[in-house]
């Protein structure tokens, strides 16, 4: 009888352990776009050779997001979707959320925000030491030839300040014009420019000046207020992010991308 009881007990334990991982392992889906180095579509930009564990979508915001949720036993599946559709679906409650979102007034009515995954600043990119000794404010731009990426938020800032500028199609073109043409200052997002300059092999030829008067942009996950359990998943992420900071893991992820944690 004792032997039968032990056999049944062993079977029960085996049954529990067989299904325990599936009970504990939860998966959520978040949507995003290609936004290097925050989010990178490997089909557009292959990961470096030392990124053996990189997934189809990587980047430091995505890596931080996955690592934070992993501390809580949650797996994240990232889907690439056009940004306008993402925001429409978040507002309608058709998807859980999006990464990475900046907190904008228009989104407050339909989105809950996590603790930021990362921060970045608007910056002036110039030839090495070009603005040393200058106050790096918007006013200084009126003295120089300026460029910005067409459609990015920096063009709105320049338009509002009534500062003339030339439009460029992307980061590579903006950097090349500063180094090889008649443009003095390329105004853009700092971390994206640093990442592009490293990839192009020209970072030693450039200087990056934060524009203090504009403050930092905060990149977070925005969760749909209409989606079931959105607040729960926001809180789970925030708990995981806190654990990353306590362990130093978030700093390690930034350094892997060549971004100093002191800048974030």
């Amino acid at each position: 009888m004792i032997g039968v009881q032990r056999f049944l007990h062993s079977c029960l334990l085996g049954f529990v352990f067989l299904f325990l991982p599936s009970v504990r392992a939860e998966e959520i889906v978040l949507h995003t776009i290609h936004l290097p180095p925050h989010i990178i579509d490997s089909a557009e930009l292959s990961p470096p050779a030392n990124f053996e564990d990189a997934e189809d979508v990587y980047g430091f915001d995505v890596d931080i997001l996955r690592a934070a949720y992993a501390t809580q036993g949650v797996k994240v599946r990232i889907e690439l979707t056009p940004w306008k559709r993402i925001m429409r679906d978040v507002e309608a409650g058709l998807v859980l959320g999006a990464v990475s979102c900046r907190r904008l007034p228009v989104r407050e009515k339909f989105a809950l925000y996590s603790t930021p995954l990362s921060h970045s600043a608007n910056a002036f990119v110039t030839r090495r030491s070009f603005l040393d000794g200058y106050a790096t404010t918007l006013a200084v731009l009126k003295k120089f030839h300026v460029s910005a990426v067409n459609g990015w938020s920096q063009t709105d800032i320049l338009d509002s300040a009534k500062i003339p500028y030339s439009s460029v199609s992307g980061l590579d073109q903006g950097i090349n014009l500063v180094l090889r043409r008649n443009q003095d200052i390329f105004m853009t997002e700092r971390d994206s420019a640093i990442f592009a300059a490293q990839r192009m092999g020209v970072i030693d030829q450039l200087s990056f000046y934060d524009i203090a008067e504009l403050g930092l942009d905060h990149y977070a996950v925005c969760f749909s207020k209409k989606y079931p359990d959105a607040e729960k998943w926001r809180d789970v992420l925030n708990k995981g992010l806190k654990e990353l900071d306590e362990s130093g893991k978030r700093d390690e992820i930034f350094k892997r991308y060549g971004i100093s944690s002191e800048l974030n």
Side-chain angles (χ1 to χ4, degrees), residues 15-26 73:
F15 181 83
V16 170
F17 285 117
L18 176 65
F19 287 96
L20 190 57
S22 63
V23 172
R24 287 183 175 176
E26 296 183 88

Side-chain angles (χ1 to χ4, degrees), residues 109-245:
K109 63 181 180 180
F110 63 82
L112 301 167
Y113 288 88
S114 71
T115 301
L117 303 171
S118 64
H119 311 283
S120 191
N122 289 286
F124 298 149
V125 183
T126 72
R127 295 180 295 280
R128 195 73 178 172
S129 304
F130 182 80
L131 286 178
D132 286 4
Y134 286 92
T136 52
T137 63
L138 291 174
V140 78
L141 296 179
K142 296 179 179 179
K143 301 179 180 180
F144 302 106
H145 294 102
V146 180
S147 60
V149 177
N150 183 39
W152 285 26
S153 61
Q154 289 77 26
T155 60
D156 294 333
I157 295 169
L158 293 169
D159 287 336
S160 297
K162 295 182 171 53
I163 295 171
Y165 63 91
S166 300
S167 292
V168 297
S169 60
L171 293 165
D172 290 20
Q173 184 184 16
I175 290 170
N176 279 326
L177 289 177
V178 162
L179 290 176
R180 300 178 177 88
R181 299 291 291 277
N182 64 339
Q183 294 298 308
D184 300 312
I185 299 172
F186 175 37
M187 181 175 167
T188 190
E189 197 249 9
R190 179 195 63 207
D191 290 347
S192 295
I194 291 174
F195 183 77
Q198 289 172 331
R199 176 173 48 80
M200 296 166 67
V202 297
I203 194 163
D204 291 341
Q205 302 174 46
L206 299 168
S207 287
F208 303 84
Y209 302 89
D210 285 2
I211 311 168
E213 65 191 291
L214 297 181
L216 292 174
D217 287 331
H218 304 274
Y219 293 87
V221 178
C222 54
F223 296 89
S224 172
K225 290 182 178 180
K226 292 184 178 180
Y227 198 88
D229 293 330
E231 189 171 347
K232 165 195 165 182
W233 292 118
R234 188 269 316 270
D235 294 344
V236 170
L237 175 57
N238 286 347
K239 184 178 179 182
L241 289 171
K242 183 178 180 182
E243 291 192 20
L244 286 193
D245 289 337

